[in-house]
Amino acid sequence: MPIGGPVVVPTSASSALAVAREIAGRIAIDAADRDRGRRLPYAEIDDLSASGLLAITVPQRFGGPDLAPSVVADVTRILAAADPNVAQIPHSHFVYLNLLRLAAPDVLARRIFDQVLRGGRVANAQSERGGATVADISTTLRPNGDRFVLDGEKFYATGSLFAHTLAVLARLVDDTADFGAGEYIVFVAADAAGIDVVDDWNGLGQRTTGSGTVVFRDVEVDPVTLVARAPAVTRPTGYGAFAQLLHVAIDVGIARGALETAADFVRSTSRPWFEAGVERADADPLTVQRFGELGVEVATAEATLEVASRAVDAATAIGADDPELTAQASIAVAVAKTVADRASNSVSSALFEVAGTRSASADLVLDRFWRNARTHTLHDPVRWKYQHIGRWVLRGESPPIHGVI
């Protein structure tokens, strides 16, 4: 798919959030229909690109506004309340732009950032099936003259169907003259020869994120497109905290979207229980009580997201490479993740409890909130978040730096 001309990029937090609210208003209109028919949001993602929101983290020295992680999290949260599928698609886009900022040579960074400023999109090709753990990578790079050849198969490649560039995690088995053996992110055009992007994602939720298979067969890559992964995930850069923060924002957005949808349904459609002695469902005191409890859950999740966002801002500020700030950010994000995980799943389930029998009609697809929450929160197990939080609180141990906390 072609990349167009320069887009107008929001240059402040307030303008970015205003644009995000406009986009959210548009994507919310057909969100249920897209889920019902598994209609992929090509037009909605093009709209997102044209809005300039996907370029808000481009560093100033490359022509962008370099807005803070907290702004990206707020944009993600706003979009996720309208359609978490659309919100998740650019998650990897922002994560790998951050990798470029932290670890890429200028020639590659300038190339990708220039594309992003013209509406270009990056997606991940990272996870694989079949390994003993998610950390096992079998996709390989091998030297071929003055270039490399990429071979392998990825899954959970969210956003790959909509991408101009794929960020591929691969392993160079042996040292070469210019590159040491190890893991690299390879930035390759999504339509390059030998790449097959397969629409085979069949998750019960997040159904339209394009999170299926990508196959690489003898794909030639230029050495300049290789970025060593280690500098971002072994130094206290806040790389992992930023990535996790956006996952939290998606879950918080789902919780807010479920709560607002439930409230609208109760006001407009639900009938009161006969014992309440009221004419409207929203006047039932027990229903009011339950909405109060759910409102507290959502507000708590939003508050912990805000705290985590400020911590990640501090850890990723220009010039920041501080182990203490990075540890604080990772713990704050881990706390927010546990709260958001619980809120998104419980509020999306409670939607049916407060809305009543009519809300269970399949044609309304109100179950999409719970399915989306249940699917998205599987990304990173919160049981390990509690471990890292507990070690920090009890023994003062900093969490590991590995890119997923």
Side-chain angles (χ1 to χ4, degrees):
M1 64 188 81
I3 299 175
V7 298
V8 177
V9 182
T11 57
S12 67
S14 59
S15 61
L17 299 184
V19 172
R21 286 188 283 268
E22 290 178 11
I23 298 288
R26 292 197 289 269
I27 66 175
I29 295 170
D30 295 325
D33 288 338
R34 284 193 297 275
D35 183 274
R36 183 186 296 109
R38 197 180 174 273
R39 178 164 55 83
L40 296 174
Y42 286 105
E44 289 73 18
I45 296 301
D46 284 344
D47 191 16
L48 191 59
S49 289
S51 75
L53 285 175
L54 299 186
I56 60 175
T57 63
V58 173
Q60 290 181 351
R61 70 190 186 96
F62 293 108
D66 202 11
L67 298 186
S70 57
V71 181
V72 186
D74 275 341
V75 166
T76 301
R77 172 185 56 81
I78 290 167
L79 296 176
D83 186 343
N85 293 270
V86 172
Q88 189 184 346
I89 287 166
H91 174 278
S92 294
H93 170 92
F94 287 115
V95 170
Y96 287 109
L97 294 192
N98 192 31
L99 179 76
L100 289 169
R101 181 180 67 84
L102 292 169
D106 274 7
V107 62
L108 174 62
R110 187 170 298 280
R111 179 192 303 177
I112 302 298
F113 286 138
D114 178 67
Q115 292 175 359
V116 170
L117 289 168
R118 293 183 289 118
R121 299 186 289 264
V122 179
N124 91 93
Q126 177 169 301
S127 295
E128 298 179 3
R129 285 172 157 174
T133 74
V134 71
D136 292 331
I137 301 299
S138 61
T139 298
T140 59
L141 285 164
R142 68 178 190 275
N144 183 28
D146 61 352
R147 300 173 75 79
F148 287 91
V149 174
L150 178 68
D151 285 287
E153 183 172 312
K154 300 291 186 177
F155 196 65
Y156 306 116
T158 298
S160 55
L161 288 169
F162 314 95
H164 300 99
T165 301
L166 297 175
V168 187
L169 176 59
R171 184 167 48 87
L172 180 61
V173 178
D174 299 313
D175 293 343
T176 69
D178 298 312
F179 295 88
E183 291 184 349
Y184 290 84
I185 302 296
V186 185
F187 289 83
V188 59
D191 59 357
I195 297 179
D196 187 15
V197 181
V198 185
D199 180 18
D200 61 351
W201 172 241
N202 66 347
L204 64 88
Q206 296 297 90
R207 298 180 65 210
T208 63
T209 56
S211 300
T213 299
V214 183
V215 181
F216 303 91
R217 299 186 185 89
D218 297 325
V219 180
E220 285 197 6
V221 295
D222 187 333
V224 77
T225 64
L226 274 62
V227 178
R229 186 171 181 265
V233 298
T234 59
R235 289 173 41 230
T237 61
Y239 176 78
F242 173 67
Q244 290 294 301
L245 180 71
L246 302 190
H247 280 308
V248 175
I250 293 168
D251 295 337
V252 171
I254 293 172
R256 172 58 67 182
L259 181 63
E260 292 182 352
T261 298
D264 181 68
F265 194 89
V266 168
R267 286 191 298 263
S268 65
T269 307
S270 298
R271 294 183 298 181
W273 184 244
F274 71 94
E275 291 179 283
V278 297
E279 295 182 358
R280 293 175 54 86
D282 60 3
D284 183 331
L286 298 184
T287 300
V288 171
Q289 172 74 19
R290 190 69 180 109
F291 268 99
E293 294 166 353
L294 298 175
V296 169
E297 283 195 60
V298 175
T300 301
E302 291 172 338
T304 56
L305 172 63
E306 183 177 349
V307 170
S309 293
R310 290 200 300 268
V312 177
D313 282 356
T316 58
I318 295 174
D321 198 352
D322 187 306
E324 183 67 18
L325 287 176
T326 300
Q328 291 172 0
S330 291
I331 293 299
V333 172
V335 169
K337 182 68 165 67
T338 64
V339 175
D341 183 294
R342 182 170 60 247
S344 62
N345 282 292
S346 74
V347 176
S348 59
S349 176
L351 181 157
F352 299 98
E353 171 194 337
V354 294
T357 307
R358 295 182 180 186
S359 64
S361 296
D363 61 316
L364 298 175
V365 290
L366 294 178
D367 62 319
R368 70 186 186 278
F369 293 100
W370 180 85
R371 288 187 287 103
N372 289 333
R374 183 64 281 170
T375 301
H376 183 258
T377 54
L378 297 175
H379 268 82
D380 306 285
V382 293
R383 58 187 178 274
W384 276 99
K385 308 295 183 187
Y386 285 115
Q387 281 289 311
H388 297 310
I389 295 165
R391 293 168 187 172
W392 170 268
V393 171
L394 185 62
R395 302 197 294 258
E397 292 181 13
S398 294
I401 301 174
H402 52 42
V404 289
I405 184 170

